[in-house]
Amino acid sequence: MAESSGLLKKVAIGFGAAAIAVCTAVVAVKLSYNKLYDELSKLRRKIKSGWQGNPALEPLKVRSEITLFLPKCHKIQFYVKIVTSKNFGNPQKVDSNEIEDRYGPFAKENCKPIFIANLSETHCLLYNKFHLVPYHVIIVTKEFVKKNTPLNADDFFASLKVMKALHGLVFFNSGPKSGGSQEHKNLQSIPYSCYLYHSIPIDILIDSQPIDESTPYFTLPQFNFKHIFYRFTPNVTKDLSYGNIKERAKLLEDAYKKCLKRLDNEDLSIAYNMVLAKNWMFIVLRKEGMAMNKIKINAVAFTGSFAVRSEEDYQFILTQDPFNILAQVAFPN
């Protein structure tokens, strides 16, 4: 009996220790989640409060915003903004008396009027001085890094914070042929709220695609050009915490590299756009920066949103079919 009693006591102690270990782990995860949640809540408030009445920001003037719902567009609603501002499409500039970095607005001395917060040891967050939609922000490396270098885990670490805080997507234009204008490496983010119903237009096409459980890669049949999607299950911002954000950033870096490999562009010799949403990553190779020398196409256009300078350009999109316009600046399949 004494031996049985001793054995039961040891078992009870073992179960108790295991229970304490489990509870400790759960508390640690919860604290990690809460700490990041608090940081990103503060970041979201800072983005919004610093936006209102900021004299450094110059919103681009939009004469009209039109929704295209064409039968030939496979149920997708394209958005077209007719922009009248002279600064539309021009590189961002910020006044400064001391310019030590010849690469312009992202120099430390120049970005003070548009600075929001530090995101990490390597990246900070800025407002987009000339913007089409509210809360358009820029994720930029603190030190000068050429834009034609590969995206890495540090870029995606900063991007995940902004995506979660802003409830938005992140996009990257690798250079002039993909709608980029700055030499200094940067990614950009816009909130989902800038789209109708707070939904990315092409999501209706993505959601209609059958899911192949054997591979994360897929393409859209409506995109008649060289591209690739990478699906994330579950979404990359779900339950984000300090305990998993670095792991998620590495996951995104790996997905990015694999997508480039499938497109035969590991050396980045071809210009490209990247769009990162919570459920997918998209990369398209680019051969031209402008469609028919009329319409500048950047990463956002591939989500279903165009910005043009005139009614004539709008009519051009209407008659050409938006999918054909996108195909004109990309490589054929």
Side-chain angles (χ1 to χ4, degrees):
M1 286 292 293
E3 290 182 4
S4 297
S5 177
L7 180 60
L8 288 172
K9 186 178 291 186
K10 289 180 180 179
V11 170
I13 292 172
F15 274 119
I20 291 171
V22 169
C23 289
T24 302
V26 169
V27 170
V29 169
K30 186 69 173 177
L31 288 174
S32 175
Y33 174 83
N34 288 343
K35 185 178 179 183
L36 184 61
Y37 178 85
D38 290 343
E39 178 190 333
L40 299 185
S41 295
K42 291 177 183 176
L43 179 60
R44 178 167 52 252
R45 290 194 295 270
K46 199 168 186 180
I47 292 171
K48 294 189 174 183
S49 63
W51 183 275
Q52 304 298 330
N54 189 328
L57 305 183
E58 299 182 26
L60 298 174
K61 295 178 181 178
V62 177
R63 192 180 77 193
S64 57
E65 185 170 355
I66 305 160
T67 302
L68 294 182
F69 187 69
L70 307 174
K72 60 185 176 182
C73 289
H74 310 276
K75 296 182 179 180
I76 182 174
Q77 289 182 316
F78 283 95
Y79 307 123
V80 182
K81 289 182 173 70
I82 301 178
V83 185
T84 58
S85 297
K86 293 180 180 179
N87 288 321
F88 174 53
N90 295 331
Q92 178 167 306
K93 294 180 180 179
V94 179
D95 293 334
S96 175
N97 294 324
E98 297 180 37
I99 300 178
E100 297 180 3
D101 185 338
R102 68 188 180 90
Y103 293 97
F106 303 145
K108 292 179 181 178
E109 294 78 10
N110 293 352
C111 71
K112 290 179 182 178
I114 55 174
F115 178 82
I116 302 170
N118 289 312
L119 296 171
S120 66
E121 293 181 359
T122 56
H123 290 71
C124 63
L125 189 66
L126 311 176
Y127 291 116
N128 185 8
K129 182 178 178 69
F130 303 116
H131 55 272
L132 277 173
V133 298
Y135 312 121
H136 181 169
V137 294
I138 304 173
I139 303 159
V140 61
T141 57
K142 292 181 180 180
E143 302 299 327
F144 175 73
V145 178
K146 284 192 174 182
K147 202 172 188 179
N148 61 358
T149 58
L151 299 178
N152 56 41
D154 289 337
D155 297 314
F156 289 116
F157 178 89
S159 296
L160 281 168
K161 283 189 172 184
V162 177
M163 289 173 68
K164 188 72 172 179
L166 198 60
H167 188 53
L169 58 80
V170 164
F171 63 93
F172 179 72
N173 308 312
S174 74
K177 285 190 175 181
S178 57
S181 59
Q182 299 296 337
E183 288 288 337
H184 193 142
K185 189 180 189 184
N186 70 92
L187 300 95
Q188 301 178 59
S189 183
I190 55 176
Y192 293 125
S193 59
C194 73
Y195 296 107
L196 190 65
Y197 309 123
H198 296 199
S199 177
I200 304 171
I202 62 169
D203 270 342
I204 193 170
L205 303 180
I206 293 170
D207 293 343
S208 67
Q209 293 298 300
I211 297 176
D212 183 350
E213 299 289 351
S214 67
T215 178
Y217 306 103
F218 67 98
T219 58
L220 292 180
Q222 297 86 359
F223 280 9
N224 190 26
F225 44 82
K226 203 166 185 180
H227 72 283
I228 192 75
F229 282 88
Y230 191 106
R231 194 189 306 271
F232 300 111
T233 307
N235 82 64
V236 291
T237 60
K238 183 177 175 62
D239 298 327
L240 199 63
S241 71
Y242 276 120
N244 61 31
I245 188 170
K246 288 186 177 180
E247 181 183 342
R248 301 273 179 93
K250 188 63 172 66
L251 169 72
L252 293 176
E253 181 186 33
D254 290 343
Y256 163 79
K257 289 180 177 178
K258 289 175 181 177
C259 286
L260 288 174
K261 185 175 182 179
R262 289 179 78 93
L263 293 170
D264 297 319
N265 195 34
E266 290 175 280
D267 61 357
L268 304 183
S269 58
I270 303 172
Y272 67 98
N273 295 114
M274 187 279 299
V275 180
L276 176 62
K278 59 186 179 182
N279 292 316
W280 47 263
M281 177 185 288
F282 164 78
I283 295 181
V284 57
L285 302 185
R286 296 289 300 276
K287 64 179 181 180
E288 301 287 348
M290 304 274 286
M292 300 294 289
N293 293 317
K294 283 177 169 287
I295 301 169
K296 184 176 181 179
I297 303 294
N298 68 6
V300 177
F302 290 91
T303 71
S305 182
F306 292 87
V308 299
R309 293 181 180 276
S310 66
E311 180 72 26
E312 179 186 356
D313 291 343
Y314 161 68
Q315 290 297 331
F316 176 75
I317 291 178
L318 190 63
T319 57
Q320 286 290 311
D321 179 347
F323 289 119
N324 288 338
I325 290 174
L326 296 177
Q328 288 173 18
V329 298
F331 290 91
N333 285 325

